Amino acid sequence: MGVTSKKKKGKVRWSNLYSFSCFRPSTLEPSAAQELIGQPGFSRVVFCNEPHLHRKKPYKYPYNNISTTKYNFLTFLPRALFEQFRRVANFYFLLGAVLSLVSLAPFSRASLIAPLLFVVGISMLKEAVEDWHRFLQDLDVNNRTVKAHDSNGVFVDKLWKELRVGDVVKVNKDEYFPSDLLLLSSSYEDGVSYVETLNLDGETNLKVKRCLEATLCLNEDEEFSDFKATIKCEDPNPNLYTFVGNLEFENESSYPLSPSQVLLRDSKLRNTDYIYGVVIFSGHDTKAVRNSTRSPSKRSRIERKMDKIIYLLFSMLLFVSLVSSIGSSLFLKHDMVDWWYLQLQGNDDKFFNPSKPVKSAFLQFIRAIILYGYLIPISLYVSIEVVKVLQAMLINKDVEMYDEVTCKSVKARTSNLNEELGQVEMILSDKTGTLTCNQMEFRKCSIAGVSYGGAVTEVDLAASRRINVDFEACDELSTDEFDQISQSYEVFEFSVSDFSTQKAVLGREVTDNTNKGNPRLTKAEHKSVIKGFNFRDDRLMNKNWIHGSNLSDITMFFRVMALCHTGIPLEDDKNNKLRYEAESPEEVAFLIASQEFGFQFCRRTQSVIVLKEFDPYSNMEVEREYKLLNLLEFSSSRKRMSVIVCNEEGQIFLLCKGADSIIFDRLADNGRTYEQATTSHLSNYAQDGFRTLAFAYRTIEAAEYERWNTIFTQAKTTVGHEREQLLEEASEMIEKDLMLLGVVAVEDKLQKGVPECIDKLAQAGFKIWLLTGDKRETAINIGFACSLLRQDMKQFHLTLSREVESKKQVKAMKKDILHQIESSLRVMSNKEAPFALVVDGKALEIALEGDVKDKFLQLAVNCASVICCRVSPKQKALITRLVKQYTGRTTLAIGDGANDVGMIQEADIGVGISGMEGMQAVMASDFSLPQFRFLERLLIVHGHWCYQRIAKMVLYFVYKNVAFGLTLFYYELYTSFSGEVLYDDWYMTMFNVMLTSLPVIALGVLEQDVSSDVCLQFPALYQQGPRNVHFRWSRIIGWILNGVVTSLVIFLANIYILSPNAFRQNGHVADINSLGAITYTCIIWTVNCQIALITSHFTWIQHVSIWGSILLWYIFLVLYGALPPDTSGNAFKVFIEAIGPAPLFWMVTLLVVVVSLLPYFIHIVIQRTFYPMDDHIIQEMKHCLRDDHHNEMWLREQRNSKRSTHIGFSARVDAQVLSFTQQLHRKKKSIYKSVTNSPIYRSMTSSSSS
């Protein structure tokens, strides 16, 4: 072990190369922060390598296990019961079940208690199963293993959940840190390690961490046998970027600690073979977990509105119960006492006691509440639970949302929010890992004023097709033809407007020489795929750059790319190509590109970088060594990186790369030769959504370097607060008078289908916000790449000025932000152009405070696109909450890392991407997707379907229960409040549980107003959900009135047809048992035929459930009537002997069903004829046109259905078409003007006129 470790160490002492804050000496003067140790909030004490001391108070800290479940063994029963009985209907039926235990109930106890137990039991079982899945995922994380020190220098595998504060662990390359650790040492000689914090802040750049020099000696397993130390530090908190503490080690010496020595849970070790660390925060004390929140209990809007419907139905119940109570009291007092056959005088019947009419009225009221309880659908909730589970299964099994690359599919982790998917209006998305693949590709470059990289963007291709410009012809355009129109081969710019003008004005046929081809463009089919390199241009590829002019600038450009970095070459493969790792993925892409161009970075030592260069003069590959003199690393404040190298001839060069604005400010007067052309290329690259960096260099004389290096060395060794300033001043002295070489454009590669998905979502009416931890420039580039931004879009940048930020006065900051917001609002009120808002993290922190947030949200909500950068996990969650509260709209948050957990849990719907960055986001989410592109189908197809299904389901439930329950009330009125029940007890129980449940479940699971393909072709159909078209109060009241009319028709028709007429052959009229059975039969037929009328998509399942339910009633009636009279009661053989043989029974059933459904039938005829909805039109078109989807009417409606939007691919194409057309128009006018003003034209016109 020791030999191997020493071989791996000693390659590069990175601390000798770096200059700035991450490698500040550990002997700093004590700061004010260090003086806080021991004060409230800074009282934590950690005994390193002595975890047993943390098992007892006052130093007892939690184990390292985490939990994202809603319940545990003790809390499941009380919390689950609370969840069930906070539903109004369930609470009502609980009261009914309690009252059934006394003699007030008109039904048997079993018929009231059994349905309640069934409904609540099914719902609780569903909750338990879903939480069990969360528990299993937690178990998977908690049972990961890590090497932990046992004793005597021996490290053994230990489960994450078993770690305690004070444990010493060893984490290997590409492993996650199991808890918050203090870095003790690493595989590098000077204790440096590289950490990927993508899960925490969304940044792909690797962070450099370095241990204290005092712990560098702890570099072997055996060194920990006698290791003891004490850490005194801050208490657990959610701040990711701060840490205050001291390490007492070796004779009580105290060393100050900073965030540079802390490794956070859910970060990953990269480019470092291993590290040793000690646990300082574990489990729920870790900063990552502190940034998350407990899994909230979410309810959909429809479910919350269902409670209000239940209140309405309960009000109806109270009203009819009150009418029954008052009516009974009046009849008892004035009429019933005179009916001698009732023998009420001296009767102890508490319901009909003339001496106590008030008490009798009250008891009748209680009895009526139970009797008319069928107005409130007890099976509604359990049916919806069953339907939602089945809907979730169909979503999970959708093959169109299966990712073959990762072998993962969409998972509905909770089924409570299926219908909420159909009402989303705001999408808040993470960037890294959600929209992008965490991969960089080298795409284009501009060298010496010439742009290279011939790939045409999809936006340009689509725009060209609109205005009939053939880009494919451009691909085949020969160099000779461009020479004929006097354009230099190397400075030719791929200009659509120029090409359009040549085609339209000069009338040239550009497709004549397609056989010649264009040497500028490399055909994709002849090019092997290289990860990180997606470049097409034969002028540079295959060493063709040696034939170009400005050869020295091209060579120096490639040298900057190959030398100015912090990369490490890893290994050779079969093609003699190296693989690289670096702090940032951009550097990896640059190294791969330089290798392809013939400048291979092959190895480095402490002071030497070795390249294999292709020599353009000898046409040979030569190996050259460059002495690395200094490295001025990249930082967010510097926005540039420089290296100073000395070549084999003794020449000293400063090679610099950085943001274009920073580099251009440092150019020499004679170094701006290519500035104008390069600026134009930068604009084009940015519009294509590429990240850009400028390259420059300067030659330094030996004497000048020696003078500067003396100053720089003094600054580097300075101890104190002024060190940073001295280093910055020293770097400014040397990073000047640069010579511009060009720029590079790399693509932060989007996931497959992201632009198309965003385009479709935009057409469906979604507003999309981008929340990322990346810097502003990166976020804006991605905004362009995924079409959230357009070049013609006015951008508002909300950021704190340096002057205000330096003062650190909250009042001044608020004033500055408020001024910017109000200025933006004034601009917005005067223009109709699309607007975008870009906010950085510090400005956002001020903007979200009480007296500023309303103005900020007013501005943000009215912008077409909002991008928030440098956002912390807490800020993501806060933005989500405020947007949800301010707009009142349904929000969906989507992310892939632990930094997105708070946002995902705070949103109405949380979606986790099951990508490469752990499972934290997935475990906290309501739905998980393998790729962002599947969000399109999840929302526009399944969301639309689920919303319509649940809405129809609830409305139908209300209808059928009102129609059924009111017949009981009408019979009470008809019998002068006698207290008789029209139906048998088991008829009542069977109504909701068996005879009408299957059709409504089939409706909720399988109903489709249009097919999935049509949903995607007509994305504006989705707007029915956010507008709540199918579940607004007018429709709810309409269905209640439909139920009232149906109940009236059924009851009155049966009473007035059956009562005065002979029912049997012997002349007997129908008794109460026959009347109840016939009326019940009419209800079963009517409500099942009604569901057939509202069903748009029939399968065999619907037919079986609807007609089977009707058949099941007759089977039940026969079997129940065949039971002994003690069991069947008054229903004994009622069908076989009483109503079945009577022709009037069948005639009444047919007549009543037809008349009951007639009002609804008339309504839908009028609506579809004069006031059709979008889906009605599409259904009729699809039915009439069959499969002819290229019909002019179909295509016109499809275009009209796309919601006008300012974002998305289509919007960018529209803007590009307008731009191309305007350019073409200007070119035509210019050419026409120049031609008409020419002497030749004038002479020709004058001669013709004469």
Side-chain angles (χ1 to χ4, degrees):
M1 170 66 194
V3 176
T4 305
S5 178
K6 288 175 182 176
K7 285 183 179 179
K8 290 180 180 177
K9 301 166 95 67
K11 289 184 178 179
V12 181
R13 289 183 62 91
W14 291 99
S15 56
N16 289 350
L17 300 178
Y18 287 94
S19 310
F20 292 94
S21 57
C22 63
F23 287 103
R24 185 177 299 169
S26 59
T27 56
L28 283 174
E29 299 171 355
S31 64
Q34 300 296 331
E35 296 174 1
L36 296 172
I37 300 299
Q39 302 298 320
F42 300 86
S43 59
R44 193 177 186 89
V45 178
V46 177
F47 300 105
C48 302
N49 213 15
E50 298 178 286
H52 60 278
L53 297 180
H54 294 290
R55 294 178 181 174
K56 295 181 181 180
K57 293 182 179 182
Y59 303 117
K60 185 178 181 180
Y61 304 126
Y63 276 100
N64 198 44
N65 62 303
I66 60 166
S67 173
T68 61
T69 58
K70 283 186 182 180
Y71 312 104
N72 58 39
F73 182 77
L74 295 178
T75 64
F76 173 73
L77 192 59
R79 286 192 63 186
L81 285 173
F82 171 77
E83 288 290 330
Q84 295 306 313
F85 289 112
R86 75 173 182 173
R87 293 171 170 171
V88 182
N90 286 352
F91 185 72
Y92 164 75
F93 284 105
L94 176 63
L95 294 178
V98 172
L99 290 174
S100 70
L101 300 178
V102 297
S103 59
L104 297 177
F107 309 122
S108 63
R109 297 173 183 175
S111 62
L112 286 174
I113 297 176
L116 178 66
L117 292 177
F118 177 75
V119 168
V120 173
I122 291 293
S123 299
M124 290 178 64
L125 179 62
K126 170 182 165 291
E127 284 286 316
V129 170
E130 289 181 350
D131 213 50
W132 177 254
H133 288 303
R134 295 191 189 96
F135 170 75
L136 292 179
Q137 288 179 330
D138 290 342
L139 201 63
D140 181 58
V141 173
N142 291 328
N143 285 342
R144 292 176 182 173
T145 59
V146 66
K147 294 287 185 182
H149 184 238
D150 186 18
S151 61
N152 299 323
V154 177
F155 281 74
V156 297
D157 286 331
K158 200 170 188 178
L159 298 179
W160 277 23
K161 65 182 180 183
E162 295 174 351
L163 288 179
R164 295 213 70 138
V165 170
D167 270 322
V168 174
V169 298
K170 180 180 182 180
V171 180
N172 293 312
K173 182 179 178 182
D174 294 330
E175 290 182 352
Y176 287 99
F177 300 123
S179 56
D180 292 350
L181 309 175
L182 175 69
L183 177 62
L184 297 175
S185 65
S186 76
S187 58
Y188 288 108
E189 190 178 65
D190 48 0
V192 167
S193 64
Y194 292 96
V195 176
E196 182 182 82
T197 59
L198 185 62
N199 259 339
L200 299 177
D201 54 22
E203 292 192 27
T204 54
N205 290 356
L206 301 185
K207 308 297 187 300
V208 183
K209 302 286 185 177
R210 185 191 179 210
C211 69
L212 297 174
E213 291 185 10
T215 60
L216 280 175
C217 58
L218 303 171
N219 56 5
E220 301 290 345
D221 290 1
E222 295 78 10
E223 300 288 345
F224 289 93
S225 57
D226 299 318
F227 168 64
K228 296 286 187 299
T230 302
I231 300 171
K232 296 179 180 179
C233 63
E234 62 186 25
D235 293 339
N237 63 75
N239 299 321
L240 297 175
Y241 308 110
T242 62
F243 182 78
V244 176
N246 287 327
L247 176 70
E248 295 179 358
F249 178 52
E250 294 180 340
N251 301 322
E252 301 299 320
S253 299
S254 182
Y255 303 91
L257 301 174
S258 70
S260 298
Q261 286 91 44
V262 178
L263 308 173
L264 300 181
R265 181 187 175 112
D266 293 328
S267 301
K268 183 189 284 188
L269 185 65
R270 299 293 300 273
N271 294 6
T272 311
D273 292 328
Y274 60 86
I275 63 97
Y276 292 102
V278 61
V279 178
I280 49 179
F281 297 121
S282 59
H284 291 275
D285 284 349
T286 58
K287 292 180 180 286
V289 178
R290 288 260 168 172
N291 267 280
S292 64
T293 55
R294 297 290 297 176
S295 298
S297 180
K298 299 180 181 179
R299 300 179 73 203
S300 70
R301 292 183 173 227
I302 286 185
E303 188 173 347
R304 292 196 295 269
K305 199 168 187 176
M306 277 166 52
D307 286 347
K308 297 178 182 178
I309 296 174
I310 298 299
Y311 291 138
L312 178 61
L313 294 178
F314 190 70
S315 300
M316 288 180 60
L317 171 63
L318 290 177
F319 174 74
V320 296
S321 299
L322 195 61
V323 169
S324 294
S325 173
I326 295 173
S328 173
S329 177
L330 293 175
F331 265 87
L332 177 63
K333 185 176 181 180
H334 299 291
D335 296 329
M336 289 186 182
V337 291
D338 299 328
W339 297 346
W340 60 268
Y341 53 85
L342 294 180
Q343 299 180 0
L344 295 179
Q345 298 298 334
N347 186 10
D348 59 352
D349 188 345
K350 53 191 174 184
F351 290 103
F352 300 97
N353 191 341
S355 61
K356 297 180 180 179
V358 176
K359 179 180 178 182
S360 295
F362 176 74
L363 294 177
Q364 286 284 10
F365 178 75
I366 299 297
R367 176 183 172 278
I369 285 181
I370 301 174
L371 175 62
Y372 305 140
Y374 284 87
L375 283 171
I376 299 176
I378 186 172
S379 62
L380 171 60
Y381 286 111
V382 71
S383 297
I384 286 180
E385 298 283 0
V386 172
V387 162
K388 286 183 177 181
V389 169
L390 295 175
Q391 286 177 350
M393 291 173 63
L394 291 180
I395 291 173
N396 295 343
K397 298 297 182 182
D398 189 345
V399 295
E400 297 295 330
M401 294 194 291
Y402 176 78
D403 184 30
E404 295 181 353
V405 176
T406 60
C407 297
K408 294 179 180 178
S409 62
V410 172
K411 294 292 182 186
R413 302 187 68 251
T414 177
S415 58
N416 292 340
L417 303 172
N418 296 346
E419 69 275 21
E420 197 83 334
L421 291 171
Q423 294 189 281
V424 177
E425 293 182 80
M426 305 279 295
I427 297 177
L428 295 93
S429 175
D430 176 44
K431 179 190 75 69
T432 309
T434 303
L435 300 178
T436 63
C437 302
N438 305 333
Q439 296 176 12
M440 292 291 176
E441 284 190 342
F442 187 91
R443 291 297 304 272
K444 294 185 179 184
C445 61
S446 171
I447 309 175
V450 181
S451 181
Y452 298 94
V456 182
T457 66
E458 292 294 328
V459 173
D460 288 341
L461 285 173
S464 72
R465 286 192 286 269
R466 289 266 196 95
I467 60 176
N468 198 26
V469 177
D470 190 1
F471 270 100
E472 297 304 322
C474 280
D475 278 0
E476 305 297 337
L477 195 60
S478 70
T479 311
D480 297 336
E481 288 200 335
F482 280 108
D483 289 339
Q484 291 174 12
I485 55 176
S486 303
Q487 294 198 39
S488 169
Y489 172 75
E490 285 193 327
V491 298
F492 165 66
E493 291 306 313
F494 201 74
S495 171
V496 178
S497 56
D498 289 347
F499 181 72
S500 306
T501 306
Q502 293 154 16
K503 182 176 180 181
V505 179
L506 302 179
R508 298 184 60 86
E509 282 296 330
V510 296
T511 56
D512 293 343
N513 297 322
T514 54
N515 58 328
K516 295 181 181 180
N518 180 8
R520 177 182 179 179
L521 302 178
T522 304
K523 294 301 176 185
E525 57 267 24
H526 300 303
K527 188 177 186 301
S528 60
V529 177
I530 301 172
K531 186 176 180 181
F533 187 76
N534 186 11
F535 182 83
R536 297 173 58 202
D537 200 324
D538 276 348
R539 292 176 294 170
L540 294 185
M541 296 301 296
N542 303 318
K543 313 298 188 299
N544 288 336
W545 53 269
I546 65 175
H547 304 301
S549 57
N550 299 315
L551 183 59
S552 60
D553 287 337
I554 295 175
T555 305
M556 184 58 73
F557 183 91
F558 292 149
R559 283 192 182 127
V560 173
M561 195 183 297
L563 291 171
C564 188
H565 58 81
T566 59
I568 304 170
L570 292 184
E571 58 187 20
D572 289 296
D573 60 22
K574 296 179 181 179
N575 298 322
N576 196 30
K577 298 288 179 69
L578 294 176
R579 187 165 61 87
Y580 300 100
E581 287 187 352
E583 280 187 32
S584 68
E586 293 101 325
E587 288 191 341
V588 175
F590 294 157
L591 290 172
I592 293 172
S594 64
Q595 183 173 236
E596 293 300 315
F597 293 137
F599 287 72
Q600 186 188 62
F601 163 56
C602 52
R603 64 181 181 276
R604 80 185 308 158
T605 65
Q606 183 65 38
S607 58
V608 174
I609 299 177
V610 181
L611 302 185
K612 289 183 179 178
E613 299 182 1
F614 183 79
D615 187 356
Y617 304 105
S618 63
N619 286 336
M620 299 282 290
E621 186 180 79
V622 296
E623 188 173 287
R624 290 196 173 103
E625 290 188 356
Y626 294 87
K627 186 176 181 182
L628 180 61
L629 302 178
N630 299 93
L631 185 149
L632 308 178
E633 73 270 18
F634 184 91
S635 69
S636 57
S637 58
R638 283 171 42 78
K639 296 185 179 180
R640 65 191 184 277
M641 173 187 176
S642 300
V643 293
I644 300 176
V645 297
C646 180
N647 65 12
E648 294 171 342
E649 289 78 31
Q651 294 176 300
I652 300 175
F653 295 98
L654 180 139
L655 310 179
C656 184
K657 67 180 181 185
D660 53 274
S661 58
I662 301 296
I663 299 298
F664 286 0
D665 288 344
R666 288 163 173 74
L667 295 178
D669 292 338
N670 62 340
R672 300 178 181 272
T673 308
Y674 314 121
E675 183 177 6
Q676 184 175 354
T678 303
T679 302
S680 174
H681 300 156
L682 277 168
S683 177
N684 293 334
Y685 298 163
Q687 186 176 355
D688 292 339
F690 298 146
R691 293 194 192 186
T692 56
L693 282 178
F695 285 4
Y697 80 103
R698 65 169 293 202
T699 304
I700 305 175
E701 298 296 331
E704 180 187 0
Y705 172 74
E706 291 299 332
R707 289 195 300 273
W708 174 83
N709 193 43
T710 302
I711 297 171
F712 183 72
T713 302
Q714 289 176 351
K716 194 174 180 181
T717 56
T718 299
V719 175
H721 298 295
E722 68 276 10
R723 179 177 183 271
E724 287 289 316
Q725 184 179 353
L726 292 174
L727 283 171
E728 186 60 37
E729 291 173 355
S731 67
E732 291 284 351
M733 291 172 59
I734 199 71
E735 292 174 323
K736 64 180 183 178
D737 298 332
L738 302 176
M739 307 292 291
L740 179 64
L741 292 170
V743 295
V744 291
V746 294
E747 180 182 13
D748 192 353
K749 192 168 177 58
L750 294 174
Q751 290 183 11
K752 179 182 176 182
V754 165
E756 295 82 356
C757 175
I758 289 178
D759 185 50
K760 192 71 74 175
L761 293 174
Q763 291 174 14
F766 293 92
K767 296 201 73 171
I768 303 174
W769 289 24
L770 182 63
L771 311 181
T772 177
D774 268 342
K775 58 182 182 288
R776 184 173 61 182
E777 294 81 2
T778 303
I780 290 174
N781 289 337
I782 290 299
F784 277 110
C786 61
S787 299
L788 289 176
L789 297 177
R790 290 168 21 194
Q791 201 64 26
D792 62 334
M793 187 178 277
K794 172 67 176 175
Q795 294 183 21
F796 299 131
H797 291 264
L798 205 61
T799 180
L800 288 170
S801 63
R802 287 189 178 182
E803 181 182 354
V804 172
E805 190 176 351
S806 62
K807 294 179 181 178
K808 295 185 178 180
Q809 294 179 356
V810 176
K811 188 174 181 180
M813 292 179 181
K814 284 185 178 180
K815 186 177 179 181
D816 183 30
I817 294 298
L818 201 56
H819 174 71
Q820 295 180 51
I821 292 173
E822 290 173 346
S823 301
S824 302
L825 286 171
R826 284 195 296 270
V827 173
M828 184 178 290
S829 62
N830 297 327
K831 293 185 179 180
E832 296 182 358
F835 299 96
L837 178 63
V838 181
V839 196
D840 70 20
K842 292 181 180 178
L844 186 65
E845 186 176 347
I846 302 298
L848 294 180
E849 292 189 2
D851 48 349
V852 185
K853 68 180 180 184
D854 287 340
K855 284 282 187 184
F856 167 72
L857 291 170
Q858 180 187 350
L859 173 64
V861 168
N862 287 298
C863 287
S865 181
V866 178
I867 296 177
C868 302
C869 36
R870 292 292 185 190
V871 183
S872 69
K874 280 284 188 184
Q875 285 179 324
K876 287 186 177 183
L878 181 59
I879 293 169
T880 306
R881 183 188 312 138
L882 292 177
V883 168
K884 188 170 64 172
Q885 292 173 351
Y886 180 81
T887 64
R889 300 172 182 173
T890 302
T891 59
L892 179 147
I894 180 169
D896 74 317
N899 60 320
D900 303 313
V901 168
M903 173 178 73
I904 287 171
Q905 292 181 336
E906 191 63 53
D908 293 304
I909 301 174
V911 178
I913 301 291
S914 53
M916 304 183 298
E917 303 309 322
M919 295 293 289
Q920 290 83 357
V922 170
M923 287 191 297
S925 67
D926 305 303
F927 297 87
S928 68
L929 306 177
Q931 293 278 315
F932 181 87
R933 70 178 187 272
F934 296 125
L935 187 64
E936 171 189 342
R937 186 174 179 87
L938 180 67
L939 294 177
I940 296 178
V941 177
H942 289 285
H944 174 71
W945 282 349
C946 290
Y947 164 72
Q948 277 212 337
R949 290 165 177 170
I950 298 296
K952 280 186 176 182
M953 222 183 128
V954 176
L955 293 175
Y956 172 74
F957 252 105
V958 171
Y959 158 79
K960 74 182 181 70
N961 279 70
V962 168
F964 177 60
L966 285 181
T967 57
L968 294 167
F969 174 64
Y970 300 149
Y971 187 74
E972 184 82 352
L973 294 176
Y974 183 73
T975 58
S976 303
F977 307 100
S978 65
E980 285 289 338
V981 181
L982 180 60
Y983 309 121
D984 183 88
D985 287 3
W986 286 103
Y987 294 180
M988 310 278 280
T989 303
M990 290 290 290
F991 181 76
N992 279 321
V993 176
M994 293 293 295
L995 300 179
T996 60
S997 59
L998 292 180
V1000 78
I1001 290 175
L1003 175 78
V1005 176
L1006 301 173
E1007 170 66 349
Q1008 298 177 13
D1009 57 338
V1010 293
S1011 65
S1012 60
D1013 293 338
V1014 174
C1015 283
L1016 296 173
Q1017 290 175 24
F1018 296 83
L1021 273 177
Y1022 182 85
Q1023 279 301 302
Q1024 292 181 347
R1027 295 202 310 266
N1028 207 15
V1029 169
H1030 295 284
F1031 207 62
R1032 56 181 55 160
W1033 278 109
S1034 58
R1035 289 179 71 91
I1036 295 168
I1037 300 299
W1039 276 96
I1040 291 176
L1041 293 177
N1042 188 23
V1044 172
V1045 170
T1046 299
S1047 63
L1048 276 171
V1049 170
I1050 291 175
F1051 181 78
L1052 294 177
N1054 278 281
I1055 286 293
Y1056 289 102
I1057 291 176
L1058 296 176
S1059 294
N1061 299 311
F1063 182 68
R1064 301 182 185 176
Q1065 292 180 351
N1066 56 12
H1068 291 170
V1069 295
D1071 59 6
I1072 184 174
N1073 301 319
S1074 299
L1075 178 64
I1078 295 171
T1079 305
Y1080 193 89
T1081 302
C1082 292
I1083 291 174
I1084 295 298
W1085 267 98
T1086 301
V1087 297
N1088 279 290
C1089 290
Q1090 177 67 72
I1091 202 170
L1093 283 178
I1094 66 174
T1095 300
S1096 303
H1097 176 69
F1098 276 97
T1099 65
W1100 66 268
I1101 298 176
Q1102 272 100 333
H1103 285 293
V1104 169
S1105 62
I1106 293 172
W1107 314 122
S1109 294
I1110 297 173
L1111 179 62
L1112 183 62
W1113 159 241
Y1114 289 107
I1115 294 173
F1116 170 78
L1117 197 57
V1118 171
L1119 295 178
Y1120 183 56
L1123 295 175
D1126 292 341
T1127 303
S1128 59
N1130 294 330
F1132 180 68
K1133 296 190 177 181
V1134 69
F1135 180 75
I1136 296 175
E1137 295 183 356
I1139 64 174
L1144 189 59
F1145 163 66
W1146 304 100
M1147 293 170 56
V1148 167
T1149 301
L1150 177 61
L1151 176 64
V1152 169
V1153 170
V1154 172
V1155 176
S1156 299
L1157 296 176
L1158 193 58
Y1160 178 78
F1161 187 78
I1162 294 172
H1163 162 72
I1164 60 173
V1165 168
I1166 293 173
Q1167 184 187 43
R1168 285 181 173 266
T1169 305
F1170 300 105
Y1171 311 101
M1173 297 170 62
D1174 295 338
D1175 51 338
H1176 295 160
I1177 296 172
I1178 295 171
Q1179 287 169 1
E1180 292 170 17
M1181 286 171 53
K1182 191 169 180 65
H1183 177 73
C1184 296
L1185 301 176
R1186 300 295 179 183
D1187 295 326
D1188 185 13
H1189 291 175
H1190 298 289
N1191 181 280
E1192 182 180 349
M1193 183 190 300
W1194 182 272
L1195 296 175
R1196 185 188 68 242
E1197 291 298 326
Q1198 188 175 337
R1199 287 193 300 271
N1200 294 340
S1201 79
K1202 294 179 180 178
R1203 188 179 176 88
S1204 178
T1205 178
H1206 295 302
I1207 65 170
F1209 181 81
S1210 298
R1212 284 187 70 195
V1213 172
D1214 292 339
Q1216 195 77 316
V1217 167
L1218 180 62
S1219 174
F1220 288 168
T1221 306
Q1222 290 173 346
Q1223 291 180 46
L1224 179 60
H1225 182 66
R1226 286 195 297 268
K1227 286 276 186 179
K1228 285 182 177 180
K1229 287 182 66 176
S1230 175
I1231 294 174
Y1232 179 78
K1233 188 174 181 180
S1234 62
V1235 170
T1236 54
N1237 290 335
S1238 67
I1240 298 175
Y1241 179 80
R1242 290 176 179 175
S1243 62
M1244 290 175 62
T1245 54
S1246 61
S1247 62
S1248 62
S1249 61
S1250 61

